[in-house]
Amino acid sequence: MIFIVVKFTVHSADRDNWLPAVEDFTLATWKEPGNLFFEWSYSVENPDEFVLLEAFASPEAGQAHVKSQHFAAAMDRMADLVSETPEIINVEVPGDGWSRMTELTPRSR
């Protein structure tokens, strides 16, 4: 699978606008046949930084995502909200989604 992590730093004034601004992009990406997950979080150290975890089933699915109309529209919309060029990690890894962490198991309550 293709695993991607992107850090988006937004203008402080636009922090509350970020998730609504990327909602259409997120919903459209979830519907892509090769999308495994597409999940937003934010940094606890920098409230202006949003982190996107995403995965695609194959390099072809990742390419289809980047070539989609909703991707182009999102990049255009995001350009007005980001305060710096996003940082990205994009790697191909074995597997087809999340695995269970073997080092930690919940205790019974």
Side-chain angles (χ1 to χ4, degrees), residues 14 17-26 69-82:
D14 289 315
N17 299 328
W18 181 259
L19 291 176
V22 298
E23 184 175 16
D24 290 345
F25 176 46
T26 301
Q69 219 172 4
H70 56 270
F71 183 91
M75 295 305 105
D76 184 58
R77 192 172 324 113
M78 290 176 180
D80 292 326
L81 302 174
V82 295

Side-chain angles (χ1 to χ4, degrees), residues 2-6 8 22-40 52-78 88-90:
I2 303 301
F3 178 68
I4 303 164
V5 180
V6 188
F8 298 88
V22 298
E23 184 175 16
D24 290 345
F25 176 46
T26 301
L27 295 173
T29 302
W30 286 345
K31 293 178 184 176
E32 292 177 23
N35 178 254
L36 300 175
F37 55 84
F38 196 83
E39 301 177 10
W40 291 99
L52 175 60
L53 299 176
E54 54 186 308
F56 297 91
S58 66
E60 295 79 18
Q63 284 298 317
H65 169 67
V66 172
K67 292 179 180 178
S68 70
Q69 219 172 4
H70 56 270
F71 183 91
M75 295 305 105
D76 184 58
R77 192 172 324 113
M78 290 176 180
I88 187 169
I89 297 172
N90 183 332

Side-chain angles (χ1 to χ4, degrees), residues 85-100:
T85 301
E87 298 176 296
I88 187 169
I89 297 172
N90 183 332
V91 295
E92 191 167 345
V93 297
D96 58 3
W98 292 97
S99 299
R100 295 287 180 177

